[in-house]
Amino acid sequence: MEEEKPWVLISEVGGDHGYLEELADIVKQHFRIICHKELLENPELHGPKIQALLNWKYCPVVEPTLLRLLPALKVVASGGVGVDHLDVPFINSLGVKVTNTPRVVSDSTADLAMGLLLASARRILEGHQVAIDPKTVHIPQRLMGVQVTNATIGIIGMGEIGYKIAQRAKGFDMKIVYHNRRRRSAEDERAVGATFCQSLDELLGTSDFVMIAVKFTPETRGLIGHRELSIMKPTATLINISRGQVVDQDALVEALQSGSIQAAALDVTHPEPLPRSLAP
């Protein structure tokens, strides 16, 4: 029965970039698994049998040298929403389909976005460090943070995840403004109490919390740089759940060090992890 299953290439089982054992067991129910290392050890034997490639945490890297080893490949399945790490036109030109997993983590990502907002506003991580520090003898007043209720959140990118963030922000009685390529319907806006900003600058200048939820495209690369950060309030916080490359990281570090903005809460950076010289 094992020989009748289609062959699938994965990065590895376990390790920093591999599948958890329990997930690999599920895959094994439907496929004959070949790990990347096994393929490279004997590409002539394994390569022609592989029909699917499961790309998890960007591994294995889907590049021409790898694809040339897989003449029978039919599909590259990426575990995640974004496909910016894949050269989709090139892969398609080989007769190979590309799939992703949209909407699977939309709620989880929106939850995380609000978690970052709350953690930064109420200085939860700093409070935790004070709480566990054996040298602590008093609680500094700076840990009071800022109020989220009635604050203005500006959402850049009001797609599925951006809208779910707005739904959560409504629960905190936040004022919601957004900027998007296409304005949402009046019904959508009313449902969360959102106001459309015609320009990004308008959003940046009025928001207490700037939430980046755009897709990563050539147009959004470097969307937030020196100029955009200079428009933000000095009391504002930048939150990024999109991709690290959407923000000019050097500009962000400079803005934080100079006090041009109050804080940043980042789910993503470029590279990941950050060089330790940039890490807090």
Side-chain angles (χ1 to χ4, degrees):
M1 291 294 292
E2 186 69 17
E3 287 300 320
E4 295 178 2
K5 296 178 182 177
W7 286 41
V8 65
L9 177 67
I10 68 171
S11 52
E12 59 182 335
V13 177
D16 292 335
H17 299 286
Y19 279 70
L20 298 174
E21 290 277 357
E22 53 266 36
L23 296 181
D25 288 341
I26 295 173
V27 176
K28 287 177 183 177
Q29 294 175 21
H30 306 280
F31 295 94
R32 164 75 160 87
I33 287 180
I34 294 293
C35 293
H36 190 215
K37 184 178 178 180
E38 291 179 83
L39 170 68
L40 297 182
E41 288 173 349
N42 199 335
E44 292 80 10
L45 176 63
H46 299 314
K49 300 177 182 178
I50 294 171
Q51 295 178 285
L53 187 159
L54 302 186
N55 186 251
W56 176 248
K57 298 179 71 174
Y58 309 135
C59 293
V61 178
V62 183
E63 53 191 357
T65 53
L66 174 61
L67 294 172
R68 281 195 290 269
L69 301 177
L70 311 174
L73 189 66
K74 294 181 179 179
V75 62
V76 172
S78 181
V81 178
V83 293
D84 48 275
H85 59 293
L86 300 173
D87 187 343
V88 176
F90 175 73
I91 297 171
N92 289 162
S93 74
L94 303 175
V96 178
K97 297 183 185 300
V98 175
T99 67
N100 62 346
T101 56
R103 296 181 293 279
V104 170
V105 295
S106 296
D107 281 308
S108 297
T109 305
D111 290 346
L112 179 61
M114 289 304 296
L116 289 170
L117 188 154
L118 292 167
S120 59
R122 306 311 311 192
R123 308 188 78 155
I124 292 174
L125 293 183
E126 294 162 277
H128 172 70
Q129 291 300 320
V130 169
I132 65 174
D133 188 342
K135 298 178 182 178
T136 296
V137 294
H138 71 279
I139 307 299
Q141 289 193 44
R142 61 180 173 80
L143 291 180
M144 292 177 64
V146 297
Q147 184 165 291
V148 171
T149 301
N150 297 323
T152 297
I153 180 174
I155 302 173
I156 306 173
M158 193 68 122
E160 181 177 12
I161 293 175
Y163 194 76
K164 287 180 179 293
I165 294 170
Q167 291 173 323
R168 286 153 176 77
K170 182 184 178 184
F172 284 88
D173 293 326
M174 300 185 78
K175 179 182 178 182
I176 302 166
V177 298
Y178 76 98
H179 178 69
N180 200 48
R181 289 179 301 171
R182 300 180 184 87
R183 184 170 182 171
R184 302 283 304 217
S185 69
E187 181 181 1
D188 284 348
E189 290 181 345
R190 283 195 300 271
V192 294
T195 300
F196 178 65
C197 292
Q198 292 284 351
S199 71
L200 177 59
D201 288 3
E202 179 186 356
L203 179 148
L204 293 172
T206 58
S207 299
D208 299 304
F209 299 92
V210 174
M211 178 75 69
I212 306 174
V214 297
K215 291 182 179 179
F216 181 54
T217 67
E219 292 72 31
T220 59
R221 180 186 291 273
L223 180 68
I224 303 297
H226 287 283
R227 191 190 74 83
E228 289 74 24
L229 291 164
S230 70
I231 298 172
M232 291 173 61
K233 297 179 180 180
T235 55
T237 295
L238 180 74
I239 304 160
N240 187 10
I241 59 159
S242 172
R243 287 288 189 272
Q245 299 96 315
V246 171
V247 177
D248 181 333
Q249 203 153 264
D250 292 337
L252 177 58
V253 171
E254 183 179 315
L256 291 168
Q257 291 176 338
S258 68
S260 177
I261 65 171
Q262 178 69 32
L266 309 174
D267 177 42
V268 288
T269 60
H270 182 70
E272 293 182 351
L274 279 176
R276 294 302 86 187
S277 61
L278 293 178

